[in-house]
Every structure is written in C-alpha cells, then in structure tokens.
Amino acid sequence: ACPLHLSIIRQAFPEQEPCLVFSAWLQGAVQAVRDGIHQPAPMMVLAGEANAGKSLLAHISKQAMGGRSSNPMTAWTGQLPWNDNLLGSALLLIDDSVASTDPRARKAFGARFKESIYAGNVEVNIRNNTSVSMRPVWRVMVCCNETPENLSVIPPLEDGIEDKIILLKVAPIETPMPAKHPKEREAFQQALKAELPAFLRWLEKVELPEHLTDSRSGVTAWKDDELHRAVMEISPEKRMESLLALAISKGLIQCGEWLSAAEIQAQLEDRDSPTSHQARTLLSFHQSAGRYLSTLYKDKSCDYVTDSKQIVGTAHYIINRPKKD
C-alpha cells in the first residue's frame, strides 16, 4: 500500500480528471525511463498558492523517475555554452524564480522546450569536448505560484505550443505525517521512500478514459479552466487588445478603416498617446504587432479586430469599437 503518496496526490487534485492526468503523465514518464526510450510529452505546469505542496509533488515525481532532476533554464537561455549536465536527469524541473517573464524569452523558452522534447535527437554540448547528437529520456515540469506574474514565466499559449502544455491547479496539501521540524521531515522522507515500490505498482494500473488520451504522448494537454483564463489574460495578445481599447477610448486610432500592422503600431506608439510607453515595450521586436493582430482576429472573443485581408501583399486589419449591448 502507498497511503502517503495517494493522500498527497488526491489532496492536490480533488477532481478526478486532473488527478488522472497527473498520474498518467507520471506513469508514462516512469515507463519511458524503464524502457530507455524517450516519449514526447506535454510540459507539466503545477500552479497553486505559495506553500501549497507543489515542491512535494515535484519530489514524488523525481523519485518515481529515478531520483535525478536538473534545471534546464541556464542551458536553454544561453547562459551556459554547454548542456551536458542535463544528461544525468530524466526530470527537467523549472522554478519560476529563475525564468524570465519577457515575451521574447518566453517564446524562446517554448521553442527550446519543443526542440528538446518533441524533436528527434538533440545536440548535447559537452564541456571541453565536441558536441554530440543523442536522444535523452526527458520530461519537463514547472512549479509556480498561481499569480499572473508567476504564471507569465511559461510559454505563451499560441499555435504550436498550446497543445504541448498541461496546466494543473494544486490545492493546498496537508502532509499526512508531521513534517515541520528537520527530524520529522527526515522521517517523512524515509516513509515516502519505503512506499515508493508500492506507488510505482499503483501507477502501472492507472487507466485513462479515451477523452484524456493522446496518440503521441499518451495523455492530452489538459488545462484547468481558471488557470487557462489567467494565462490568456496575461498573454501579449491580450495586452495588445487592452492597448487598442485604450487608444479607441481616447479617439487616437482610426476605426473602420483598413490599416496595416505598421500603421496601427505607429498610432499606438505615438509619443502623444497614453499607450506610447506600453506599446513600445510590447512591440519592441520585429513583426510582433502583426502576429498579435492576426491572433486577435482569429480569436472570436475579441471584438476590436473585426476583419483582415491582404492589400498588395501586406495584411491589413479593421479596428472597431465594440458595440454596446
């Protein structure tokens, strides 16, 4: 029996679906380690209140996968020229305190994640040696608080990445054994260690309903509705929508006319506009305005970008004030 493990997981995920998704994701990770065969799988994002127990879930996952974890962010952000330190770990564990909230850094993070998990072989740069191409068995987990600032460290949920991220909300966990003092924590860790074989056998028996399965990764990129809305609200596209709303309310943007992304950006960045500073920060990298406007047009919940067409090979958009109910 493994009552400690099950108590922790069921407290963290009181609803059946997120509990199954977490368990099945970990089941696949353990099987991949046992087989020595990498299986592409979504990034597991665990978000919740401070001290809710996210680190405890990460510890359980780490032990189930062999007891080895590394933080890939220094390698993925180019802070180190080598990444061979990741080879000894099956779990790539990321803490929000070391990740960047800058949109460009977040997009780069998403690109490196896809390259490392969903591509074939990856380039491993070995210190004092030449690089080699190989296929490590990896899974990625992110633990963060559920505040907008902390959630903004994960990659933007856009095409190509949204179906590769799981968002699970972690409910507060009360440890099933006393664990406030060092000796109590050591006893708790030893009790978890003693249960590990039984927990691994329990994982083997986890079965997913068909609507939670994915043919490639085994488990779908399930998302908690509340966290999903929170992440979308802090997306650069939503920030763009807020700037459009402010500019329209001040009469500083031309509504009902075909405008290119460059023309809209110029109006938002005009030095006399209240949107100037925010727009210059948000749209500081090449073609960002066009990407955000295109996404907003495709998003049927956005009432500001109402039409789009190509004019002499350049995308143009209609910006309108939403109709009042």
Side-chain angles (χ1 to χ4, degrees):
C2 49
L4 299 179
H5 285 81
L6 298 188
S7 172
I8 292 165
I9 292 173
R10 288 166 180 168
Q11 284 184 74
F13 311 112
E15 301 295 329
Q16 183 181 37
E17 285 199 350
C19 186
L20 282 172
V21 168
F22 175 81
S23 302
W25 183 90
L26 187 53
Q27 177 195 63
V30 171
Q31 192 61 50
V33 171
R34 284 175 170 167
D35 295 341
I37 301 174
H38 176 75
Q39 181 188 34
M43 177 189 302
M44 172 63 69
V45 178
L46 302 177
E49 300 175 2
N51 301 316
K54 302 179 291 293
S55 296
L56 181 54
L57 290 169
H59 173 77
I60 287 174
S61 303
K62 170 183 173 180
Q63 296 305 315
M65 295 171 64
R68 301 174 298 277
S69 68
S70 296
N71 190 326
M73 290 306 291
T74 52
W76 286 2
T77 56
Q79 297 177 38
L80 288 177
W82 55 78
N83 60 351
D84 57 326
N85 60 305
L86 306 181
L87 292 180
S89 303
L91 180 63
L92 303 185
L93 181 60
I94 298 164
D95 188 291
D96 59 354
S97 62
V98 297
S100 173
T101 60
D102 180 84
R104 286 169 292 182
R106 294 172 62 205
K107 286 178 179 288
F109 172 29
R112 293 304 299 272
F113 161 71
K114 290 196 296 183
E115 176 186 288
S116 300
I117 302 301
Y118 282 87
N121 285 0
V122 295
E123 287 296 315
V124 177
N125 299 316
I126 304 173
R127 65 198 80 192
N128 303 320
N129 209 326
T130 57
S131 63
V132 295
S133 179
M134 60 179 65
R135 179 59 272 174
V137 177
W138 282 338
R139 294 247 166 158
V140 177
M141 176 178 285
V142 176
C143 296
C144 64
N145 293 341
E146 58 184 340
T147 62
E149 180 182 3
N150 291 104
L151 284 170
S152 66
V153 303
I154 69 175
L157 299 182
E158 54 191 16
D159 288 346
I161 192 69
E162 184 170 12
D163 63 342
K164 297 176 177 64
I165 294 180
I166 294 172
L167 283 176
L168 297 186
K169 185 171 183 177
V170 178
I173 299 169
E174 183 176 343
T175 55
M177 285 178 58
K180 292 183 179 180
H181 305 295
K183 289 186 177 180
E184 291 177 342
R185 287 194 291 270
E186 176 63 22
F188 181 43
Q189 296 290 343
Q190 290 301 318
L192 286 174
K193 184 177 181 180
E195 276 193 8
L196 185 57
F199 177 60
L200 293 176
R201 287 194 295 271
W202 178 85
L203 279 178
E204 292 176 355
K205 300 176 183 178
V206 171
E207 294 185 6
L208 275 181
E210 186 174 352
H211 71 282
L212 294 178
T213 62
D214 179 84
S215 58
R216 185 178 186 186
S217 62
V219 58
T220 189
W222 192 92
K223 293 175 179 61
D224 175 82
D225 289 338
E226 184 179 341
L227 290 178
H228 193 198
R229 287 194 298 270
V231 172
M232 294 307 294
E233 285 299 321
I234 59 175
S235 68
E237 292 81 7
K238 284 297 182 180
R239 291 172 61 192
M240 180 74 163
E241 184 178 15
S242 298
L243 293 180
L244 291 174
L246 178 57
I248 290 172
S249 69
K250 301 295 184 181
L252 300 173
I253 198 166
Q254 301 174 45
C255 293
E257 298 184 14
W258 289 107
L259 300 171
S260 69
E263 291 170 329
I264 295 170
Q265 181 173 349
Q267 293 181 21
L268 292 174
E269 292 183 347
D270 187 279
R271 64 180 183 179
D272 295 325
S273 169
T275 62
S276 176
H277 176 71
Q278 295 183 63
R280 290 176 187 274
T281 302
L282 178 65
L283 308 176
S284 59
F285 56 101
H286 184 56
Q287 296 182 342
S288 55
R291 286 199 292 269
Y292 299 157
L293 288 166
S294 176
T295 301
L296 289 174
Y297 170 64
K298 295 175 183 177
D299 182 3
K300 300 307 179 183
S301 66
C302 175
D303 297 324
Y304 293 94
V305 185
T306 57
D307 206 352
S308 173
K309 72 175 181 179
Q310 295 285 323
I311 300 178
V312 195
T314 301
H316 284 62
Y317 304 90
I318 292 287
I319 307 298
N320 273 319
R321 183 189 302 271
K323 295 178 180 179
K324 293 182 179 180
D325 293 337

